[in-house]
Amino acid sequence: MISLDGVMQAPGGSKEDKAAGFKYGGWTAPYGDEAYGKAVQKELQEPADYLLGRKTFEIWEKYWPHHTDFWPGINDGRKYILSKTRKKSDWKNSVFLKNLADIKKVKKSKGPDIHVWGSSKLIQLLLKHDMVDELRLKIHPLTLGKGKKLFDKGTIPAAFTLTESTVTTKGVILVNYKRPDNYRDRKVKTGNVGA
């Protein structure tokens, strides 16, 4: 969930993440409609494991174990958390990782797809090291100015292929992009318009 200017901080609620004085928590709420709800439910029903940054995990850890009526599979999916400070949690299926090498091992292991939700710094780390296979963006028709960004310093040049897109009645663009399988198609191509 991002704004037009790439902010992804605190989309779900006013108390979600007030870091750096962010005052627009819950900015996605006015944009819900049937198409948006179906897209989110489809993602929530997919068998998946989750890779999260520590801050996102701590928000989830307080909320999701008690709201499985909305997201039944969240407790069963394995939660991998990149953290230098945390080592354990009472939330079942929580596994703490120390570094990028640990993430690479998880990515190479067998199991369901690994989804990243929130976790702006973690996503930036993954983008910097070309470890993002797919982007599922919900682009909201507003700018927020300040806040944690999806794309920031360290993002490498990389080409993606459109696999799905929808525009909701509230103007949210739901779009999925995948990295091509062919290595040559993964590079950014340039040229001259009209040539």
Side-chain angles (χ1 to χ4, degrees):
M1 299 171 193
I2 65 169
S3 63
L4 289 172
D5 55 342
V7 174
M8 58 182 287
Q9 185 172 351
S14 60
K15 297 178 183 177
E16 186 176 351
D17 180 359
K18 294 183 178 186
F22 189 73
K23 56 186 175 184
Y24 298 108
W27 52 270
T28 62
Y31 297 99
D33 69 0
E34 186 177 347
Y36 194 105
K38 283 182 180 179
V40 170
Q41 279 302 310
K42 179 181 173 187
E43 288 177 350
L44 298 182
Q45 291 173 11
E46 292 176 8
D49 287 338
Y50 306 93
L51 176 60
L52 307 167
R54 180 190 52 81
K55 290 179 184 176
T56 298
F57 175 75
E58 289 177 349
I59 293 167
W60 280 33
E61 179 182 37
K62 293 174 188 169
Y63 184 83
W64 283 116
H66 313 291
H67 293 87
T68 55
D69 54 322
F70 186 77
W71 196 349
I74 190 58
N75 285 327
D76 297 327
R78 182 162 283 130
K79 278 79 61 186
Y80 295 101
I81 306 97
L82 181 63
S83 176
K84 294 177 183 175
T85 57
R86 294 276 306 263
K87 294 181 180 172
K88 64 179 185 170
S89 171
D90 291 334
W91 192 12
K92 76 175 187 173
N93 296 324
S94 296
V95 177
F96 289 85
L97 308 176
K98 295 178 185 175
N99 52 43
L100 191 63
D102 289 345
I103 294 172
K104 287 179 179 178
K105 287 178 192 172
V106 169
K107 194 169 187 280
K108 289 179 181 177
S109 66
K110 292 184 179 180
D113 285 346
I114 300 168
H115 294 186
V116 179
W117 291 69
S119 308
S120 60
K121 287 184 182 180
L122 173 60
I123 292 173
Q124 290 165 12
L125 177 69
L126 297 173
L127 286 166
K128 180 179 180 179
H129 292 278
D130 198 13
M131 294 178 63
V132 174
D133 298 322
E134 182 177 8
L135 292 168
R136 295 180 183 183
L137 306 177
K138 295 164 188 66
I139 306 166
H140 292 70
L142 77 163
T143 57
L144 295 169
K146 295 181 180 178
K148 295 175 183 174
K149 303 269 183 166
L150 175 61
F151 303 105
D152 208 353
K153 298 173 188 167
T155 301
I156 63 166
F160 288 80
T161 300
L162 178 69
T163 59
E164 192 174 334
S165 66
T166 304
V167 179
T168 72
T169 61
K170 302 278 182 98
V172 179
I173 301 169
L174 309 174
V175 62
N176 294 359
Y177 292 106
K178 282 192 176 182
R179 289 285 271 150
D181 292 331
N182 183 329
Y183 185 75
R184 285 180 309 179
D185 294 335
R186 297 171 76 110
K187 294 183 177 185
V188 174
K189 295 178 179 138
T190 63
N192 295 308
V193 176

